[in-house]
Amino acid sequence: MKSNTYRPGSNDPVWLEEGHRINEAVFCETFMSTHKIVFCNGFFFTEDGRVTDEIPLRSMIYEELRNYASSNVARKVGNILDLLKLSAQVDDFRPVTNFIHLANGTLHLDGSFQEGKPEVVRNRLPVRYNPKAAQPAQWLRFLSDLLYPEDIPTVQEFIGYCLIPSNKGQRMMVIKGRGGEGKSQIGVVLSKLELLTKSIFENQSQLMNLKISNP
């Protein structure tokens, strides 16, 4: 007489029990062992920074379940996602203020660059670092026409400060001059940076304030 005892196959995942039952807690443990992810202050964070849309994460979970779940799959995915928030929960996940995380690695404020994404980060800018990129001639010419030479590094430092998740500078920059000289274009650039960083900084007050005025 044949035994009805289930014997797991060699290819069955560790979270699959009796060939059909999914152990959601074990699934989360396995998922966290193969994916860099934490949950803090209501958001998931990965090596690409804060997760603003959970749909891709749901899709990743579904892809791992699809061959083992045949009913109520969407509910199972939702349950696992909720449990993953508990499993990946950390009490404190502070932003690192001396790095700029970029699409292809991390730029240290001392000028060195580390390729890759070895760890979970709180923010990552969706642009690639290219140390061989040509100088922005048009931008530098614009600054040269607008500002005194000694003021150009200050403006560049101000804009660079907007790329790190910190407000420790506690400063506001004021650009004063005659109308029609192009001062507002610096505001346009900062507005573009605000759109770029909007998805990675939870608090937009981290961006420094700029005031442009005419006499």
Side-chain angles (χ1 to χ4, degrees):
M1 182 175 179
K2 292 184 178 180
S3 173
N4 291 326
T5 302
Y6 171 75
R7 292 181 175 84
S10 59
N11 294 324
D12 285 353
V14 296
W15 42 262
L16 189 67
E17 299 177 345
E18 301 298 325
H20 64 88
R21 188 169 64 248
I22 296 171
N23 187 318
E24 296 173 355
V26 177
F27 181 97
C28 289
E29 292 177 4
T30 305
F31 190 87
M32 291 173 59
S33 71
T34 56
H35 298 77
K36 301 183 182 75
I37 189 168
V38 301
F39 187 79
C40 185
N41 298 328
F43 291 98
F44 283 108
F45 296 87
T46 70
E47 65 269 33
D48 290 315
R50 183 161 65 107
V51 176
T52 57
D53 183 1
E54 293 183 353
I55 294 300
L57 186 55
R58 288 178 178 270
S59 297
M60 292 169 63
I61 295 172
Y62 168 71
E63 285 299 319
E64 297 199 23
L65 292 180
R66 61 184 305 177
N67 294 327
Y68 305 99
S70 58
S71 62
N72 299 318
V73 181
R75 187 176 66 185
K76 287 184 174 69
V77 171
N79 289 343
I80 288 174
L81 188 65
D82 288 340
L83 184 57
L84 188 61
K85 292 176 181 180
L86 299 177
S87 300
Q89 174 73 34
V90 295
D91 294 332
D92 190 22
F93 185 47
R94 294 181 179 276
V96 180
T97 59
N98 56 342
F99 298 151
I100 299 176
H101 300 292
L102 301 164
N104 58 333
T106 299
L107 179 64
H108 298 232
L109 296 191
D110 63 5
S112 60
F113 182 74
Q114 178 186 5
E115 294 186 357
K117 304 175 183 179
E119 59 187 4
V120 177
V121 297
R122 201 166 181 95
N123 59 75
R124 188 176 294 278
L125 293 170
V127 293
R128 296 180 63 83
Y129 174 68
N130 179 8
K132 298 181 180 179
Q135 286 192 341
Q138 184 175 356
W139 170 251
L140 293 176
R141 184 168 55 252
F142 163 73
L143 292 180
S144 179
D145 293 341
L146 177 65
L147 304 169
Y148 293 114
E150 60 270 22
D151 292 333
I152 293 177
T154 301
V155 173
Q156 292 177 314
E157 181 179 357
F158 175 89
I159 295 176
Y161 179 68
C162 294
L163 299 179
I164 61 174
S166 171
N167 59 2
K168 62 183 179 182
Q170 297 292 312
R171 294 292 184 273
M172 180 182 76
M173 183 170 71
V174 177
I175 300 179
K176 186 176 181 180
R178 293 186 297 271
E181 292 182 326
K183 301 182 301 299
S184 61
Q185 292 305 306
I186 294 179
V188 172
V189 170
L190 287 174
S191 296
K192 296 293 184 181
L193 282 178
E194 181 177 3
L195 292 175
L196 184 66
T197 58
K198 189 174 183 179
S199 64
I200 65 171
F201 293 152
E202 296 96 312
N203 184 354
Q204 282 302 293
S205 67
Q206 292 175 169
L207 293 180
M208 294 179 72
N209 292 319
L210 171 69
K211 181 178 180 181
I212 299 174
S213 63
N214 296 323

